Amino acid sequence: MFIDVLKIKKSYKTGDIKLDVLKDVSMDLDRENIGVILGPSGSGKSTLLNIIGGVDKADSGKVTIDGVNITGLDDNKLTEYRRDSIGFVFQFYNLVPNLTVLENIEVVSNIAKSPLDIKRILKSVDLESKTHSFPKELSGGEQQRVAIARAIVKNPKLLLCDEPTGALDFETSRSILSLLQRVNKEYKTTILMITHNVAISLMANKIYKLRSGEIIETTKNPNPVAAERIEW
């Protein structure tokens, strides 16, 4: 398996109040698959994603990505892990406003260990005509495509998506999900996505339901649905 999360716990303390965010969470996902973590706001989805991405650390437990136990890495090695192995896509794009589409992608490409060809990436995300546009000149869907291009140009092993369609309308959301499926097939990128939208889970190979910091159900989906057919 490519992702192996074993009994991780995470809590935060504010004054005398301790909040248990993740409670003995275990999950796994095979290489080149798409996984979807479903759960309401406050269920611990983003915390789990951040721990898998090396942005946050678990209090206990073990996270193994592609055979590497990342819970045992120091800060420098975690930085290398995030730089070389992980692509992040967020709900609100996080583009640099005074950089063009091309420049936003180049920023990441220039620090990547083995980046993909930018022209190929721009073609993959249907942004060839927007190369010299600034974020303010783009629609929400186009900005999210830039964010995806920026994430995959570094050729990551794992693409982590935090509510990637949360700020988009239905048709644009379906277009972005279709693009993620193409990325999964074309670049053989393993994708793990968090969402509160049950319909999106239809496109996944594996679905995890998270509630109050615990995975209450894991389902394998032998026949993922093409994003173009998803309705909600």
PDB file of all heavy atoms in Angstrom, residues 163-200:
ATOM      1  N   GLU A 163     -10.919  20.188   0.197  1.00  0.00           N
ATOM      2  CA  GLU A 163     -12.162  20.777  -0.325  1.00  0.00           C
ATOM      3  C   GLU A 163     -11.902  21.537  -1.631  1.00  0.00           C
ATOM      4  O   GLU A 163     -12.201  22.744  -1.740  1.00  0.00           O
ATOM      5  CB  GLU A 163     -12.773  21.732   0.714  1.00  0.00           C
ATOM      6  CG  GLU A 163     -13.192  21.059   2.014  1.00  0.00           C
ATOM      7  CD  GLU A 163     -14.566  20.399   1.946  1.00  0.00           C
ATOM      8  OE1 GLU A 163     -15.133  20.317   0.828  1.00  0.00           O
ATOM      9  OE2 GLU A 163     -15.068  19.971   2.990  1.00  0.00           O
ATOM     10  N   PRO A 164     -11.343  20.892  -2.655  1.00  0.00           N
ATOM     11  CA  PRO A 164     -10.927  21.614  -3.867  1.00  0.00           C
ATOM     12  C   PRO A 164     -12.065  22.224  -4.674  1.00  0.00           C
ATOM     13  O   PRO A 164     -11.817  23.078  -5.526  1.00  0.00           O
ATOM     14  CB  PRO A 164     -10.209  20.526  -4.684  1.00  0.00           C
ATOM     15  CG  PRO A 164     -10.858  19.254  -4.242  1.00  0.00           C
ATOM     16  CD  PRO A 164     -11.116  19.444  -2.771  1.00  0.00           C
ATOM     17  N   THR A 165     -13.297  21.799  -4.405  1.00  0.00           N
ATOM     18  CA  THR A 165     -14.441  22.370  -5.142  1.00  0.00           C
ATOM     19  C   THR A 165     -15.362  23.170  -4.226  1.00  0.00           C
ATOM     20  O   THR A 165     -16.436  23.596  -4.647  1.00  0.00           O
ATOM     21  CB  THR A 165     -15.259  21.258  -5.831  1.00  0.00           C
ATOM     22  OG1 THR A 165     -15.816  20.388  -4.827  1.00  0.00           O
ATOM     23  CG2 THR A 165     -14.388  20.435  -6.765  1.00  0.00           C
ATOM     24  N   GLY A 166     -14.924  23.399  -2.985  1.00  0.00           N
ATOM     25  CA  GLY A 166     -15.795  24.031  -1.999  1.00  0.00           C
ATOM     26  C   GLY A 166     -16.238  25.437  -2.348  1.00  0.00           C
ATOM     27  O   GLY A 166     -17.306  25.886  -1.921  1.00  0.00           O
ATOM     28  N   ALA A 167     -15.424  26.171  -3.148  1.00  0.00           N
ATOM     29  CA  ALA A 167     -15.746  27.557  -3.488  1.00  0.00           C
ATOM     30  C   ALA A 167     -16.290  27.694  -4.912  1.00  0.00           C
ATOM     31  O   ALA A 167     -16.395  28.813  -5.423  1.00  0.00           O
ATOM     32  CB  ALA A 167     -14.500  28.427  -3.325  1.00  0.00           C
ATOM     33  N   LEU A 168     -16.639  26.553  -5.532  1.00  0.00           N
ATOM     34  CA  LEU A 168     -17.021  26.576  -6.943  1.00  0.00           C
ATOM     35  C   LEU A 168     -18.468  26.136  -7.148  1.00  0.00           C
ATOM     36  O   LEU A 168     -19.029  25.399  -6.341  1.00  0.00           O
ATOM     37  CB  LEU A 168     -16.091  25.642  -7.740  1.00  0.00           C
ATOM     38  CG  LEU A 168     -14.583  25.917  -7.611  1.00  0.00           C
ATOM     39  CD1 LEU A 168     -13.791  24.824  -8.294  1.00  0.00           C
ATOM     40  CD2 LEU A 168     -14.244  27.281  -8.202  1.00  0.00           C
ATOM     41  N   ASP A 169     -19.062  26.590  -8.271  1.00  0.00           N
ATOM     42  CA  ASP A 169     -20.417  26.148  -8.589  1.00  0.00           C
ATOM     43  C   ASP A 169     -20.390  24.716  -9.115  1.00  0.00           C
ATOM     44  O   ASP A 169     -19.327  24.125  -9.332  1.00  0.00           O
ATOM     45  CB  ASP A 169     -21.075  27.091  -9.612  1.00  0.00           C
ATOM     46  CG  ASP A 169     -20.313  27.160 -10.933  1.00  0.00           C
ATOM     47  OD1 ASP A 169     -19.881  26.108 -11.440  1.00  0.00           O
ATOM     48  OD2 ASP A 169     -20.157  28.274 -11.469  1.00  0.00           O
ATOM     49  N   PHE A 170     -21.573  24.153  -9.355  1.00  0.00           N
ATOM     50  CA  PHE A 170     -21.697  22.735  -9.701  1.00  0.00           C
ATOM     51  C   PHE A 170     -20.930  22.370 -10.965  1.00  0.00           C
ATOM     52  O   PHE A 170     -20.125  21.437 -10.976  1.00  0.00           O
ATOM     53  CB  PHE A 170     -23.177  22.363  -9.846  1.00  0.00           C
ATOM     54  CG  PHE A 170     -23.391  21.027 -10.505  1.00  0.00           C
ATOM     55  CD1 PHE A 170     -23.032  19.853  -9.860  1.00  0.00           C
ATOM     56  CD2 PHE A 170     -23.933  20.944 -11.779  1.00  0.00           C
ATOM     57  CE1 PHE A 170     -23.210  18.627 -10.471  1.00  0.00           C
ATOM     58  CE2 PHE A 170     -24.116  19.721 -12.395  1.00  0.00           C
ATOM     59  CZ  PHE A 170     -23.754  18.553 -11.733  1.00  0.00           C
ATOM     60  N   GLU A 171     -21.163  23.091 -12.054  1.00  0.00           N
ATOM     61  CA  GLU A 171     -20.530  22.735 -13.326  1.00  0.00           C
ATOM     62  C   GLU A 171     -19.015  22.882 -13.259  1.00  0.00           C
ATOM     63  O   GLU A 171     -18.270  22.050 -13.773  1.00  0.00           O
ATOM     64  CB  GLU A 171     -21.099  23.600 -14.466  1.00  0.00           C
ATOM     65  CG  GLU A 171     -22.521  23.228 -14.869  1.00  0.00           C
ATOM     66  CD  GLU A 171     -22.628  21.786 -15.373  1.00  0.00           C
ATOM     67  OE1 GLU A 171     -21.628  21.232 -15.859  1.00  0.00           O
ATOM     68  OE2 GLU A 171     -23.724  21.204 -15.264  1.00  0.00           O
ATOM     69  N   THR A 172     -18.553  23.950 -12.618  1.00  0.00           N
ATOM     70  CA  THR A 172     -17.115  24.151 -12.484  1.00  0.00           C
ATOM     71  C   THR A 172     -16.510  23.079 -11.586  1.00  0.00           C
ATOM     72  O   THR A 172     -15.410  22.568 -11.848  1.00  0.00           O
ATOM     73  CB  THR A 172     -16.809  25.546 -11.909  1.00  0.00           C
ATOM     74  OG1 THR A 172     -17.483  26.539 -12.688  1.00  0.00           O
ATOM     75  CG2 THR A 172     -15.323  25.835 -11.919  1.00  0.00           C
ATOM     76  N   SER A 173     -17.233  22.704 -10.534  1.00  0.00           N
ATOM     77  CA  SER A 173     -16.763  21.647  -9.635  1.00  0.00           C
ATOM     78  C   SER A 173     -16.565  20.347 -10.388  1.00  0.00           C
ATOM     79  O   SER A 173     -15.552  19.652 -10.229  1.00  0.00           O
ATOM     80  CB  SER A 173     -17.769  21.426  -8.495  1.00  0.00           C
ATOM     81  OG  SER A 173     -17.852  22.561  -7.669  1.00  0.00           O
ATOM     82  N   ARG A 174     -17.537  20.021 -11.220  1.00  0.00           N
ATOM     83  CA  ARG A 174     -17.455  18.773 -11.979  1.00  0.00           C
ATOM     84  C   ARG A 174     -16.263  18.800 -12.936  1.00  0.00           C
ATOM     85  O   ARG A 174     -15.583  17.797 -13.141  1.00  0.00           O
ATOM     86  CB  ARG A 174     -18.765  18.527 -12.734  1.00  0.00           C
ATOM     87  CG  ARG A 174     -18.960  17.100 -13.155  1.00  0.00           C
ATOM     88  CD  ARG A 174     -20.412  16.733 -13.324  1.00  0.00           C
ATOM     89  NE  ARG A 174     -21.093  17.544 -14.322  1.00  0.00           N
ATOM     90  CZ  ARG A 174     -22.339  17.281 -14.747  1.00  0.00           C
ATOM     91  NH1 ARG A 174     -22.996  16.257 -14.240  1.00  0.00           N
ATOM     92  NH2 ARG A 174     -22.910  18.049 -15.651  1.00  0.00           N
ATOM     93  N   SER A 175     -15.993  19.966 -13.511  1.00  0.00           N
ATOM     94  CA  SER A 175     -14.852  20.134 -14.402  1.00  0.00           C
ATOM     95  C   SER A 175     -13.531  19.928 -13.649  1.00  0.00           C
ATOM     96  O   SER A 175     -12.606  19.278 -14.153  1.00  0.00           O
ATOM     97  CB  SER A 175     -14.879  21.526 -15.040  1.00  0.00           C
ATOM     98  OG  SER A 175     -13.718  21.775 -15.786  1.00  0.00           O
ATOM     99  N   ILE A 176     -13.440  20.462 -12.434  1.00  0.00           N
ATOM    100  CA  ILE A 176     -12.224  20.320 -11.628  1.00  0.00           C
ATOM    101  C   ILE A 176     -12.032  18.860 -11.210  1.00  0.00           C
ATOM    102  O   ILE A 176     -10.917  18.323 -11.246  1.00  0.00           O
ATOM    103  CB  ILE A 176     -12.287  21.231 -10.381  1.00  0.00           C
ATOM    104  CG1 ILE A 176     -12.199  22.705 -10.800  1.00  0.00           C
ATOM    105  CG2 ILE A 176     -11.181  20.883  -9.391  1.00  0.00           C
ATOM    106  CD1 ILE A 176     -10.913  23.079 -11.531  1.00  0.00           C
ATOM    107  N   LEU A 177     -13.119  18.190 -10.843  1.00  0.00           N
ATOM    108  CA  LEU A 177     -13.024  16.787 -10.456  1.00  0.00           C
ATOM    109  C   LEU A 177     -12.595  15.922 -11.641  1.00  0.00           C
ATOM    110  O   LEU A 177     -11.812  14.978 -11.492  1.00  0.00           O
ATOM    111  CB  LEU A 177     -14.366  16.302  -9.898  1.00  0.00           C
ATOM    112  CG  LEU A 177     -14.810  16.950  -8.585  1.00  0.00           C
ATOM    113  CD1 LEU A 177     -16.212  16.492  -8.215  1.00  0.00           C
ATOM    114  CD2 LEU A 177     -13.829  16.626  -7.451  1.00  0.00           C
ATOM    115  N   SER A 178     -13.104  16.255 -12.818  1.00  0.00           N
ATOM    116  CA  SER A 178     -12.709  15.555 -14.038  1.00  0.00           C
ATOM    117  C   SER A 178     -11.216  15.743 -14.291  1.00  0.00           C
ATOM    118  O   SER A 178     -10.507  14.795 -14.678  1.00  0.00           O
ATOM    119  CB  SER A 178     -13.522  16.067 -15.226  1.00  0.00           C
ATOM    120  OG  SER A 178     -13.144  15.412 -16.422  1.00  0.00           O
ATOM    121  N   LEU A 179     -10.728  16.961 -14.060  1.00  0.00           N
ATOM    122  CA  LEU A 179      -9.307  17.248 -14.230  1.00  0.00           C
ATOM    123  C   LEU A 179      -8.477  16.413 -13.254  1.00  0.00           C
ATOM    124  O   LEU A 179      -7.437  15.850 -13.627  1.00  0.00           O
ATOM    125  CB  LEU A 179      -9.037  18.734 -14.013  1.00  0.00           C
ATOM    126  CG  LEU A 179      -7.570  19.174 -13.951  1.00  0.00           C
ATOM    127  CD1 LEU A 179      -6.833  18.792 -15.231  1.00  0.00           C
ATOM    128  CD2 LEU A 179      -7.483  20.671 -13.701  1.00  0.00           C
ATOM    129  N   LEU A 180      -8.924  16.294 -12.011  1.00  0.00           N
ATOM    130  CA  LEU A 180      -8.197  15.494 -11.028  1.00  0.00           C
ATOM    131  C   LEU A 180      -8.139  14.026 -11.446  1.00  0.00           C
ATOM    132  O   LEU A 180      -7.112  13.357 -11.264  1.00  0.00           O
ATOM    133  CB  LEU A 180      -8.837  15.640  -9.644  1.00  0.00           C
ATOM    134  CG  LEU A 180      -8.642  16.994  -8.970  1.00  0.00           C
ATOM    135  CD1 LEU A 180      -9.485  17.098  -7.702  1.00  0.00           C
ATOM    136  CD2 LEU A 180      -7.167  17.229  -8.632  1.00  0.00           C
ATOM    137  N   GLN A 181      -9.227  13.526 -12.014  1.00  0.00           N
ATOM    138  CA  GLN A 181      -9.204  12.155 -12.520  1.00  0.00           C
ATOM    139  C   GLN A 181      -8.206  12.003 -13.660  1.00  0.00           C
ATOM    140  O   GLN A 181      -7.494  10.993 -13.746  1.00  0.00           O
ATOM    141  CB  GLN A 181     -10.601  11.729 -12.986  1.00  0.00           C
ATOM    142  CG  GLN A 181     -11.546  11.377 -11.840  1.00  0.00           C
ATOM    143  CD  GLN A 181     -12.865  10.819 -12.314  1.00  0.00           C
ATOM    144  OE1 GLN A 181     -13.430  11.288 -13.315  1.00  0.00           O
ATOM    145  NE2 GLN A 181     -13.378   9.828 -11.620  1.00  0.00           N
ATOM    146  N   ARG A 182      -8.112  13.006 -14.526  1.00  0.00           N
ATOM    147  CA  ARG A 182      -7.137  12.954 -15.623  1.00  0.00           C
ATOM    148  C   ARG A 182      -5.710  12.972 -15.079  1.00  0.00           C
ATOM    149  O   ARG A 182      -4.836  12.260 -15.572  1.00  0.00           O
ATOM    150  CB  ARG A 182      -7.332  14.126 -16.591  1.00  0.00           C
ATOM    151  CG  ARG A 182      -8.624  14.085 -17.376  1.00  0.00           C
ATOM    152  CD  ARG A 182      -8.475  14.763 -18.733  1.00  0.00           C
ATOM    153  NE  ARG A 182      -7.822  16.046 -18.713  1.00  0.00           N
ATOM    154  CZ  ARG A 182      -8.460  17.218 -18.561  1.00  0.00           C
ATOM    155  NH1 ARG A 182      -9.777  17.237 -18.396  1.00  0.00           N
ATOM    156  NH2 ARG A 182      -7.787  18.351 -18.577  1.00  0.00           N
ATOM    157  N   VAL A 183      -5.473  13.802 -14.065  1.00  0.00           N
ATOM    158  CA  VAL A 183      -4.155  13.860 -13.435  1.00  0.00           C
ATOM    159  C   VAL A 183      -3.798  12.488 -12.862  1.00  0.00           C
ATOM    160  O   VAL A 183      -2.673  11.997 -13.012  1.00  0.00           O
ATOM    161  CB  VAL A 183      -4.127  14.930 -12.319  1.00  0.00           C
ATOM    162  CG1 VAL A 183      -2.878  14.795 -11.451  1.00  0.00           C
ATOM    163  CG2 VAL A 183      -4.195  16.324 -12.927  1.00  0.00           C
ATOM    164  N   ASN A 184      -4.756  11.865 -12.204  1.00  0.00           N
ATOM    165  CA  ASN A 184      -4.556  10.542 -11.622  1.00  0.00           C
ATOM    166  C   ASN A 184      -4.158   9.518 -12.686  1.00  0.00           C
ATOM    167  O   ASN A 184      -3.228   8.722 -12.493  1.00  0.00           O
ATOM    168  CB  ASN A 184      -5.844  10.106 -10.912  1.00  0.00           C
ATOM    169  CG  ASN A 184      -5.829   8.658 -10.476  1.00  0.00           C
ATOM    170  OD1 ASN A 184      -6.579   7.844 -11.027  1.00  0.00           O
ATOM    171  ND2 ASN A 184      -5.009   8.318  -9.518  1.00  0.00           N
ATOM    172  N   LYS A 185      -4.820   9.544 -13.833  1.00  0.00           N
ATOM    173  CA  LYS A 185      -4.543   8.584 -14.896  1.00  0.00           C
ATOM    174  C   LYS A 185      -3.278   8.932 -15.671  1.00  0.00           C
ATOM    175  O   LYS A 185      -2.429   8.075 -15.938  1.00  0.00           O
ATOM    176  CB  LYS A 185      -5.727   8.512 -15.864  1.00  0.00           C
ATOM    177  CG  LYS A 185      -7.027   8.032 -15.239  1.00  0.00           C
ATOM    178  CD  LYS A 185      -6.904   6.610 -14.723  1.00  0.00           C
ATOM    179  CE  LYS A 185      -8.254   6.137 -14.155  1.00  0.00           C
ATOM    180  NZ  LYS A 185      -8.126   4.798 -13.528  1.00  0.00           N
ATOM    181  N   GLU A 186      -3.148  10.207 -16.049  1.00  0.00           N
ATOM    182  CA  GLU A 186      -2.054  10.621 -16.925  1.00  0.00           C
ATOM    183  C   GLU A 186      -0.700  10.596 -16.228  1.00  0.00           C
ATOM    184  O   GLU A 186       0.307  10.166 -16.815  1.00  0.00           O
ATOM    185  CB  GLU A 186      -2.329  12.020 -17.470  1.00  0.00           C
ATOM    186  CG  GLU A 186      -1.295  12.505 -18.475  1.00  0.00           C
ATOM    187  CD  GLU A 186      -1.656  13.840 -19.111  1.00  0.00           C
ATOM    188  OE1 GLU A 186      -2.796  14.330 -18.894  1.00  0.00           O
ATOM    189  OE2 GLU A 186      -0.809  14.400 -19.819  1.00  0.00           O
ATOM    190  N   TYR A 187      -0.671  11.054 -14.961  1.00  0.00           N
ATOM    191  CA  TYR A 187       0.603  11.150 -14.252  1.00  0.00           C
ATOM    192  C   TYR A 187       0.767  10.065 -13.190  1.00  0.00           C
ATOM    193  O   TYR A 187       1.757  10.048 -12.474  1.00  0.00           O
ATOM    194  CB  TYR A 187       0.739  12.538 -13.618  1.00  0.00           C
ATOM    195  CG  TYR A 187       0.711  13.650 -14.629  1.00  0.00           C
ATOM    196  CD1 TYR A 187      -0.416  14.453 -14.790  1.00  0.00           C
ATOM    197  CD2 TYR A 187       1.803  13.888 -15.467  1.00  0.00           C
ATOM    198  CE1 TYR A 187      -0.454  15.461 -15.749  1.00  0.00           C
ATOM    199  CE2 TYR A 187       1.784  14.893 -16.408  1.00  0.00           C
ATOM    200  CZ  TYR A 187       0.650  15.676 -16.553  1.00  0.00           C
ATOM    201  OH  TYR A 187       0.624  16.668 -17.501  1.00  0.00           O
ATOM    202  N   LYS A 188      -0.242   9.184 -13.090  1.00  0.00           N
ATOM    203  CA  LYS A 188      -0.217   8.077 -12.117  1.00  0.00           C
ATOM    204  C   LYS A 188      -0.022   8.602 -10.687  1.00  0.00           C
ATOM    205  O   LYS A 188       0.721   8.031  -9.871  1.00  0.00           O
ATOM    206  CB  LYS A 188       0.866   7.066 -12.484  1.00  0.00           C
ATOM    207  CG  LYS A 188       0.701   6.475 -13.880  1.00  0.00           C
ATOM    208  CD  LYS A 188       1.683   5.374 -14.157  1.00  0.00           C
ATOM    209  CE  LYS A 188       1.545   4.851 -15.592  1.00  0.00           C
ATOM    210  NZ  LYS A 188       0.199   4.369 -15.912  1.00  0.00           N
ATOM    211  N   THR A 189      -0.676   9.718 -10.421  1.00  0.00           N
ATOM    212  CA  THR A 189      -0.567  10.377  -9.119  1.00  0.00           C
ATOM    213  C   THR A 189      -1.611   9.836  -8.153  1.00  0.00           C
ATOM    214  O   THR A 189      -2.797   9.794  -8.473  1.00  0.00           O
ATOM    215  CB  THR A 189      -0.777  11.900  -9.270  1.00  0.00           C
ATOM    216  OG1 THR A 189       0.097  12.402 -10.273  1.00  0.00           O
ATOM    217  CG2 THR A 189      -0.507  12.610  -7.963  1.00  0.00           C
ATOM    218  N   THR A 190      -1.173   9.415  -6.991  1.00  0.00           N
ATOM    219  CA  THR A 190      -2.110   9.031  -5.939  1.00  0.00           C
ATOM    220  C   THR A 190      -2.758  10.302  -5.399  1.00  0.00           C
ATOM    221  O   THR A 190      -2.076  11.291  -5.146  1.00  0.00           O
ATOM    222  CB  THR A 190      -1.374   8.290  -4.810  1.00  0.00           C
ATOM    223  OG1 THR A 190      -0.649   7.178  -5.364  1.00  0.00           O
ATOM    224  CG2 THR A 190      -2.357   7.777  -3.760  1.00  0.00           C
ATOM    225  N   ILE A 191      -4.078  10.270  -5.229  1.00  0.00           N
ATOM    226  CA  ILE A 191      -4.803  11.469  -4.789  1.00  0.00           C
ATOM    227  C   ILE A 191      -5.627  11.150  -3.542  1.00  0.00           C
ATOM    228  O   ILE A 191      -6.343  10.147  -3.503  1.00  0.00           O
ATOM    229  CB  ILE A 191      -5.730  12.000  -5.903  1.00  0.00           C
ATOM    230  CG1 ILE A 191      -4.909  12.451  -7.123  1.00  0.00           C
ATOM    231  CG2 ILE A 191      -6.583  13.178  -5.386  1.00  0.00           C
ATOM    232  CD1 ILE A 191      -5.758  12.912  -8.298  1.00  0.00           C
ATOM    233  N   LEU A 192      -5.505  12.008  -2.542  1.00  0.00           N
ATOM    234  CA  LEU A 192      -6.344  11.919  -1.347  1.00  0.00           C
ATOM    235  C   LEU A 192      -7.039  13.251  -1.172  1.00  0.00           C
ATOM    236  O   LEU A 192      -6.400  14.300  -1.112  1.00  0.00           O
ATOM    237  CB  LEU A 192      -5.499  11.590  -0.111  1.00  0.00           C
ATOM    238  CG  LEU A 192      -6.274  11.352   1.186  1.00  0.00           C
ATOM    239  CD1 LEU A 192      -7.226  10.163   1.053  1.00  0.00           C
ATOM    240  CD2 LEU A 192      -5.311  11.110   2.355  1.00  0.00           C
ATOM    241  N   MET A 193      -8.362  13.198  -1.110  1.00  0.00           N
ATOM    242  CA  MET A 193      -9.173  14.411  -1.098  1.00  0.00           C
ATOM    243  C   MET A 193     -10.098  14.403   0.116  1.00  0.00           C
ATOM    244  O   MET A 193     -10.616  13.356   0.498  1.00  0.00           O
ATOM    245  CB  MET A 193     -10.011  14.427  -2.389  1.00  0.00           C
ATOM    246  CG  MET A 193     -10.820  15.666  -2.629  1.00  0.00           C
ATOM    247  SD  MET A 193     -11.888  15.485  -4.108  1.00  0.00           S
ATOM    248  CE  MET A 193     -10.872  14.528  -5.218  1.00  0.00           C
ATOM    249  N   ILE A 194     -10.284  15.577   0.734  1.00  0.00           N
ATOM    250  CA  ILE A 194     -11.268  15.676   1.805  1.00  0.00           C
ATOM    251  C   ILE A 194     -12.425  16.550   1.338  1.00  0.00           C
ATOM    252  O   ILE A 194     -12.240  17.517   0.600  1.00  0.00           O
ATOM    253  CB  ILE A 194     -10.677  16.209   3.125  1.00  0.00           C
ATOM    254  CG1 ILE A 194     -10.157  17.632   2.979  1.00  0.00           C
ATOM    255  CG2 ILE A 194      -9.574  15.291   3.626  1.00  0.00           C
ATOM    256  CD1 ILE A 194      -9.695  18.237   4.296  1.00  0.00           C
ATOM    257  N   THR A 195     -13.627  16.165   1.764  1.00  0.00           N
ATOM    258  CA  THR A 195     -14.827  16.893   1.361  1.00  0.00           C
ATOM    259  C   THR A 195     -15.972  16.558   2.313  1.00  0.00           C
ATOM    260  O   THR A 195     -15.925  15.553   3.030  1.00  0.00           O
ATOM    261  CB  THR A 195     -15.226  16.531  -0.085  1.00  0.00           C
ATOM    262  OG1 THR A 195     -16.368  17.292  -0.472  1.00  0.00           O
ATOM    263  CG2 THR A 195     -15.559  15.048  -0.220  1.00  0.00           C
ATOM    264  N   HIS A 196     -16.980  17.402   2.312  1.00  0.00           N
ATOM    265  CA  HIS A 196     -18.208  17.091   3.046  1.00  0.00           C
ATOM    266  C   HIS A 196     -19.297  16.635   2.076  1.00  0.00           C
ATOM    267  O   HIS A 196     -20.399  16.300   2.484  1.00  0.00           O
ATOM    268  CB  HIS A 196     -18.695  18.330   3.812  1.00  0.00           C
ATOM    269  CG  HIS A 196     -19.065  19.470   2.918  1.00  0.00           C
ATOM    270  ND1 HIS A 196     -18.123  20.353   2.423  1.00  0.00           N
ATOM    271  CD2 HIS A 196     -20.250  19.847   2.380  1.00  0.00           C
ATOM    272  CE1 HIS A 196     -18.730  21.225   1.640  1.00  0.00           C
ATOM    273  NE2 HIS A 196     -20.012  20.937   1.588  1.00  0.00           N
ATOM    274  N   ASN A 197     -18.971  16.635   0.773  1.00  0.00           N
ATOM    275  CA  ASN A 197     -19.945  16.332  -0.278  1.00  0.00           C
ATOM    276  C   ASN A 197     -19.922  14.837  -0.610  1.00  0.00           C
ATOM    277  O   ASN A 197     -18.988  14.340  -1.235  1.00  0.00           O
ATOM    278  CB  ASN A 197     -19.622  17.160  -1.523  1.00  0.00           C
ATOM    279  CG  ASN A 197     -20.728  17.113  -2.554  1.00  0.00           C
ATOM    280  OD1 ASN A 197     -21.424  16.118  -2.690  1.00  0.00           O
ATOM    281  ND2 ASN A 197     -20.880  18.188  -3.307  1.00  0.00           N
ATOM    282  N   VAL A 198     -20.967  14.129  -0.228  1.00  0.00           N
ATOM    283  CA  VAL A 198     -21.044  12.676  -0.422  1.00  0.00           C
ATOM    284  C   VAL A 198     -20.944  12.286  -1.890  1.00  0.00           C
ATOM    285  O   VAL A 198     -20.350  11.266  -2.241  1.00  0.00           O
ATOM    286  CB  VAL A 198     -22.353  12.124   0.183  1.00  0.00           C
ATOM    287  CG1 VAL A 198     -22.487  10.629  -0.096  1.00  0.00           C
ATOM    288  CG2 VAL A 198     -22.393  12.376   1.687  1.00  0.00           C
ATOM    289  N   ALA A 199     -21.508  13.104  -2.797  1.00  0.00           N
ATOM    290  CA  ALA A 199     -21.518  12.769  -4.217  1.00  0.00           C
ATOM    291  C   ALA A 199     -20.104  12.595  -4.771  1.00  0.00           C
ATOM    292  O   ALA A 199     -19.863  11.748  -5.642  1.00  0.00           O
ATOM    293  CB  ALA A 199     -22.260  13.843  -5.001  1.00  0.00           C
ATOM    294  N   ILE A 200     -19.158  13.385  -4.263  1.00  0.00           N
ATOM    295  CA  ILE A 200     -17.789  13.336  -4.765  1.00  0.00           C
ATOM    296  C   ILE A 200     -17.148  11.975  -4.502  1.00  0.00           C
ATOM    297  O   ILE A 200     -16.273  11.524  -5.257  1.00  0.00           O
ATOM    298  CB  ILE A 200     -16.956  14.476  -4.153  1.00  0.00           C
ATOM    299  CG1 ILE A 200     -17.454  15.823  -4.696  1.00  0.00           C
ATOM    300  CG2 ILE A 200     -15.473  14.320  -4.434  1.00  0.00           C
ATOM    301  CD1 ILE A 200     -16.773  17.034  -4.100  1.00  0.00           C
TER     302      ILE A 200
END
